[in-house]
Structures are given as structure tokens and as C-alpha cells.
Amino acid sequence: MKKSWLSRCYVGLVMFFLYVPIIVLIVYSFNENKSRGVWTGFSLKWYRELFHNEIILQSLSNTLIVAVISAILATLLGTAAAIGIFSMGRKARSLAMNITYFPIINPEIVMGVSLMLLFAMCGISLGYLTLIIAHVTFCTPYVILNVMPKLRQMDNHIYEAALDLGCSPMQAFYKVIIPEIMPGILSGLMMSFTYSLDDFIISYFVSSSTSQTLPITIYSMTRRKVSPEINALSAIIFVVVLVILIAVNVYGARQEKQQQKRYL
Amino acid sequence: MFKNRAVSAPYLVWSAIFVIIPLGLVAYYALTTRSGEFTLDNLARVGQYAPVIMSSILLSIIATIISLIVAYPLAFIMSRASGNTQRTYMMLIMLPMWMNFLLRTYSWMTILERNGLINRFLELFGIGPLTMINTPGAVVLGMIYNYLPFMILPLYTTMLKIEHHTIEAAQDLGATPWQVLSRVIIPLSMPGVTTGITMVFVPCISTFAISRMLGGGSSMLIGDLIELQFLGNTYNPNLGAAISMVLMVIILICMAMMNMFDDGEDKEAMLL
């Protein structure tokens, strides 16, 4: 009894540490005063200013465009790559997987810098194109790592059965293999999308001032002494993330229940 | 089975152009002068920055150790909780990770600064303003805050696999709580420990935003040094590339050490 009380306290303490900064941001987003330390009264001023801030809105749309395009490209490239790597012999496969792990292990700053050098040498000016190339490069490995286990779990015989029943290899591929690995493809797509939205370090080295993404704009705002719009922005992002996470969790719990019912 | 190796060709070409060639370029820049002649000067000049490199290693190690100490009990408590509680804890730990780390770090600026929340609170008791921001301590705090979940999650996943019967068996056979911890739980959770250490140490040692925001100019890290060579006033990509190479070597050493630990464990398990 005493032990569970202690462990609850400990969890509470760590959660306090994790959430205090977020609560501070949200509370201060309603502060009328410009300064971070002083509370002068409740106001929605910063939300209004946020929605009139051209730079933030522009970088938000840049972020979404880059994230959608690079997530789709990375998913196509990565799914094809996973199927190809899965068909390889053992040696080629382990080599290809090492190449795949590399961008995940390599520190982001080195990847950003190395891509910057490449673009500078080829004379490609920094902008949307370089951002998308960089994002596809760091997202594709995650797609491969999501699709690979699904290929491994797949029953070999289904594909052969489809061929025996008169499918052409192409038909069997689209009607059997793709649906089988779809959950992996979708989670790879979602992961790519969120990593692309969130990336700061690599984007910082490969974007120009006209193609800034939201994290880069946030960074330049924090460099200024006072920028209370950040608080309002954080509060909005927090609520969006909270709603999505709750929805995913509720959906997951419901599916689990349905599955349990099916077994009963 | 459906086999088609050719479909991986676009990816392999892509990786060659955008992963392998850029790395070659880093090595090329590190070993040449600006006019393209071979030189070891850049690598030698990295030696000048030895204090920066040492202090970033030190700060990252401190942050990693504190994260491990904080995360270990938490992961254990989580892994022993009931299904629903586990799901809630997981969500609570993932949620902050979904907010951009720059926003979370910015919030610590509000809390730690000279007329920030902590100093205002202390003022009520007549304790003078403490200098907390722009110190190495603030940088370590920022690292721990941002990367603690990366320590918790791998620890939690390995601890989930430790069956409660194993712990009970040890207790039945007369092990003291300390022995249960040191001879059962810690050895069995070792893979999580090593993964957690790499997942926290690597982003800590290569960060530049956290040190810039919470450290002011007081504590420069390797990341800051690299960033300065490429985007700062002291534009010198050759030196920047050389420092990047050093950073990669440090990370390789860290990962090799972690692998060694893991292998040792496996061998021991095999002997049993």
C-alpha cells in the first residue's frame, strides 16, 4: 500500500516536470502584457495578432506543403525500396539495410550540413526543392522500417494462390500484396508527415528566407527578446495534438474491444 | 513469393546521391583547403576547440546520466501498472514530444530568466534573484527536458518483457530487494539502458538550438561550433566539415561502447 503511494508520487513529480513548461506557455498566451514575467490581465490579443502575422501564416503553409509532398514521395520511394530489399539475397539486403539505418543514426546537424554542401556544389539554390529533397531523404528510412515487418509477416502462399487462381503477377501484386502491407505503408506515411512537420535542424541548413518552415520561424522568434505570439501558437498546437492523440487512443481502444468480442 | 529487386533501384540511387555523396563531400571539405588542395590543417585546427568539445561531451554525459536515473524508476513503475494506466502514462509521456522542441525550450526561458517565474516566486521569500539562465546548468536542464522521453520509452519496452514471475521467483529464493534489482531487473533491462543512452546522448551532443536559447553565449557546444562555420559570421565550411567528422567519431565511439555492453550481456546469458 505504502509502495504504490510512493510510486504514484514519483510519477506525479516527473509528469509535473514534463507539463509545467507547457502549462506556463498556455497560461501566458492569455496574458495582456508583452513581457514574459508580468501578468497584467486576461486577453486574446496574441491570438488575434498570430492570425494576422503574415510570416507565421506563410511559414505554416510552407510547412504543410513540404510535409505533404515529402511524406507522399517518401512513402512511394520507401515502399518500393522495402519490397526490393526484401527480395534481395542476404548480403545485399544487409548492405541496403545499413544504408537505410544510416540517416537515422547520423546526427541531424551532420546530415543538414552535408546536404548543404551538396546543394552548394551543384549550384542548386536553397528553397522548396532542397527542403523537399532533404525531408524525403530522412523520412524514407522510416517508411522502409515500417513496411519491412509487414512483408516479413505476410504469408507467402497468398500471392501464389492468387496466381493459381488466374491473377497476373501485376494483379496479384495490387490485389494481394499491397493490401497486406497497407498498415505498414500508412504508419510510414504518418510518421514521415509528422517528422517532416517537426523538423528543425536539417531544414535550418537547407532552406532560404523565403521558404522558411514553421520551426525555423519559431526559432527566429525565440531569438528576439519578446515574442508573445509564440505562446498563443504553442497553445493552439498543444490543443490540436491533444485532440489527435485522444482520438487515436479512443479509436485504438475501441478496435481492441471489437477484436476481443470477435474472439469471444 | 513475389520477387522484384529492381523496384528498390530508385531508393538506392536516391541514397547514393543524397546520403553517401554528401558524406563524401564532408570528408573532402575536411581534408582540403578552400582552393581544393589536400591539407590536414582543418583537422589540426579542431584541436583549438578541444575545450568546447570536452565541455559538450561532459554536459551531454551529465544530461544522459540524470535522464537515466530519473527514467529508470518511472519506466519500471509504468511497466508494472495495469493496462489502462499504462496507456494513459504512455500518452502523457508522448504528448509533450509532439510539440516542437523549440517551443518547449522557449518556455524554460520564461521560467528561468532573471525576472522569470522562479525568481518571482523566490522574491516572495526575499531571496535575491538567482542567475539560472545562460548557465551550463540551464543547458543540461533543457537537454534532459527535451530528451527524457527517449530514455523512458526504450526502458519501458524492455521492462514490459520482464515477467513478474521472474521477480517473484528471485524473492522466493531469498533475494533481498537490492539483489532483485541488481541481479534480476538491471541485467534484464540492459538492452533498454543502452538504447536509451544512445538515443539521449546523440541528440544532446549535436544540439545547437538548446545551448543557444538556454545557454546564451556562456556554453558553446559542438553543434554551435559547426553551425557558426556554415551559417555564422566565421564562414569556413572546411573547418565546419572537420568538426562534423570529429562529432561523427565521438558518436561512433559512444555506439561502439554501448554495443560492447550489449554483447557482454548476451555472452553471459549464453553461458547460463
Side-chain angles (χ1 to χ4, degrees):
Chain A
M1 213 43 225
K2 201 177 137 214
K3 244 190 174 163
S4 82
W5 178 81
L6 245 176
S7 59
R8 234 174 253 169
C9 267
Y10 188 75
V11 175
L13 262 176
V14 178
M15 293 301 170
F16 179 77
F17 174 65
L18 285 177
Y19 280 91
V20 158
I22 296 175
I23 294 167
V24 167
L25 284 175
I26 295 175
V27 169
Y28 271 93
S29 72
F30 298 110
N31 185 10
E32 199 201 340
N33 201 291
K34 221 173 155 59
S35 145
R36 277 189 295 231
V38 198
W39 177 270
T40 48
F42 182 86
S43 148
L44 291 174
K45 190 162 82 181
W46 304 119
Y47 288 89
R48 241 173 286 135
E49 291 210 2
L50 181 70
F51 287 111
H52 289 117
N53 188 326
E54 281 298 319
I55 301 170
I56 292 180
L57 294 180
Q58 179 62 46
S59 55
L60 178 66
S61 90
N62 285 348
T63 310
L64 289 174
I65 292 168
V66 169
V68 168
I69 296 176
S70 25
I72 292 172
L73 286 179
T75 306
L76 293 175
L77 199 63
T79 306
I83 293 168
I85 293 172
F86 189 67
S87 331
M88 286 176 180
R90 189 189 269 182
K91 264 192 185 159
R93 189 194 296 186
S94 90
L95 179 70
M97 283 318 277
N98 278 331
I99 296 175
T100 303
Y101 279 119
F102 195 80
I104 299 177
I105 302 165
N106 202 18
E108 284 178 283
I109 190 169
V110 175
M111 190 163 166
V113 159
S114 67
L115 281 169
M116 190 187 170
L117 287 177
L118 177 78
F119 295 140
M121 214 172 96
C122 302
I124 305 172
S125 55
L126 300 179
Y128 292 105
L129 179 67
T130 53
L131 266 175
I132 291 170
I133 289 175
H135 284 214
V136 170
T137 309
F138 73 73
C139 288
T140 309
Y142 292 102
V143 177
I144 297 177
L145 293 183
N146 272 297
V147 174
M148 217 45 152
K150 293 282 170 256
L151 283 168
R152 240 178 262 133
Q153 287 162 17
M154 202 172 62
D155 188 346
N156 291 344
H157 302 302
I158 321 178
Y159 175 72
E160 281 155 19
L163 292 183
D164 286 347
L165 291 170
C167 271
S168 69
M170 254 337 212
Q171 278 177 321
F173 176 72
Y174 283 112
K175 292 191 169 169
V176 175
I177 294 185
I178 292 291
E180 279 286 305
I181 60 175
M182 208 49 180
I185 298 177
L186 286 180
S187 57
L189 180 76
M190 284 319 293
M191 226 173 178
S192 303
F193 183 68
T194 48
Y195 282 160
S196 171
L197 281 184
D198 206 43
D199 177 70
F200 164 67
I201 299 179
I202 295 173
S203 311
Y204 184 67
F205 287 99
V206 297
S207 66
S208 67
S209 55
T210 51
S211 62
Q212 277 190 356
T213 59
L214 196 56
I216 299 171
T217 307
I218 294 171
Y219 181 68
S220 55
M221 285 170 83
T222 63
R223 305 294 298 147
R224 267 180 272 142
K225 266 279 165 265
V226 196
S227 33
E229 296 105 324
I230 290 188
N231 296 330
L233 184 65
S234 329
I236 293 173
I237 292 178
F238 182 78
V239 171
V240 170
V241 167
L242 186 68
V243 169
I244 293 174
L245 266 187
I246 290 177
V248 168
N249 262 287
V250 168
Y251 179 76
R254 198 175 289 167
Q255 276 209 325
E256 224 167 76
K257 249 185 213 161
Q258 270 178 358
Q259 251 172 3
Q260 277 170 355
K261 257 187 213 160
R262 222 174 282 157
Y263 285 124
L264 281 175
Chain B
M1 179 56 208
F2 179 81
K3 278 204 192 293
N4 190 345
R5 276 193 266 174
V7 288
S8 65
Y11 167 69
L12 294 176
V13 172
W14 184 283
S15 296
I17 299 175
F18 297 113
V19 177
I20 296 166
I21 292 179
L23 273 175
L25 273 179
V26 171
Y28 171 78
Y29 269 79
L31 294 173
T32 51
T33 62
R34 212 169 275 192
S35 52
E37 288 153 42
F38 176 81
T39 176
L40 288 172
D41 272 4
N42 298 313
L43 286 170
R45 274 190 66 192
V46 177
Q48 286 175 9
Y49 298 102
V52 174
I53 294 171
M54 289 321 284
S55 82
S56 3
I57 294 176
L58 186 69
L59 292 185
S60 308
I61 289 178
I62 294 173
T64 310
I65 291 174
I66 298 178
S67 303
L68 180 61
I69 294 170
V70 172
Y72 202 87
L74 185 81
F76 186 73
I77 295 167
M78 272 173 74
S79 71
R80 303 296 117 177
S82 69
N84 261 335
T85 323
Q86 277 187 28
R87 206 199 300 270
T88 316
Y89 284 168
M90 272 297 273
M91 209 187 104
L92 284 172
I93 286 167
M94 299 284 278
L95 185 55
M97 276 170 77
W98 278 55
M99 276 180 84
N100 196 283
F101 79 102
L102 295 164
L103 295 172
R104 288 177 275 149
T105 313
Y106 173 77
S107 179
W108 280 106
M109 290 167 75
T110 315
I111 298 172
L112 297 177
E113 68 189 346
R114 193 144 190 89
N115 46 9
L117 289 177
I118 292 183
N119 273 330
R120 282 188 177 269
F121 181 72
L122 291 177
E123 219 178 78
L124 298 177
F125 304 96
I127 304 169
L130 305 175
T131 315
M132 283 172 290
I133 200 156
N134 298 347
T135 58
V139 178
V140 172
L141 179 78
M143 289 172 172
I144 297 170
Y145 182 74
N146 280 307
Y147 305 124
L148 185 65
F150 292 153
M151 185 64 91
I152 298 174
L153 295 178
L155 282 174
Y156 165 73
T157 1
T158 44
M159 283 177 181
L160 268 184
K161 289 183 204 141
I162 303 178
E163 284 205 43
H164 205 68
H165 301 301
T166 325
I167 296 169
E168 275 170 359
Q171 284 166 339
D172 287 348
L173 292 169
T176 61
W178 170 248
Q179 282 174 323
V180 172
L181 180 69
S182 66
R183 302 189 51 181
V184 179
I185 300 174
I186 291 181
L188 284 176
S189 61
M190 221 40 200
V193 174
T194 51
T195 316
I197 289 177
T198 8
M199 281 180 74
V200 174
F201 183 78
V202 172
C204 277
I205 193 135
S206 51
T207 185
F208 66 93
I210 296 175
S211 50
R212 196 68 59 77
M213 288 162 80
L214 294 176
S218 72
S219 39
M220 212 197 232
L221 302 184
I222 301 181
D224 297 288
L225 213 54
I226 296 174
E227 194 255 353
L228 276 180
Q229 310 308 322
F230 284 97
L231 295 170
N233 301 327
T234 55
Y235 182 72
N236 187 350
N238 301 90
L239 179 59
I243 306 169
S244 306
M245 301 269 290
V246 172
L247 176 63
M248 281 163 69
V249 169
I250 294 172
I251 286 167
L252 277 181
I253 292 174
C254 162
M255 295 205 326
M257 277 165 68
M258 289 305 121
N259 269 337
M260 238 162 58
F261 267 105
D262 259 357
D263 282 346
E265 282 309 316
D266 284 341
K267 267 175 214 147
E268 225 166 77
M270 260 153 51
L271 283 177
L272 289 170

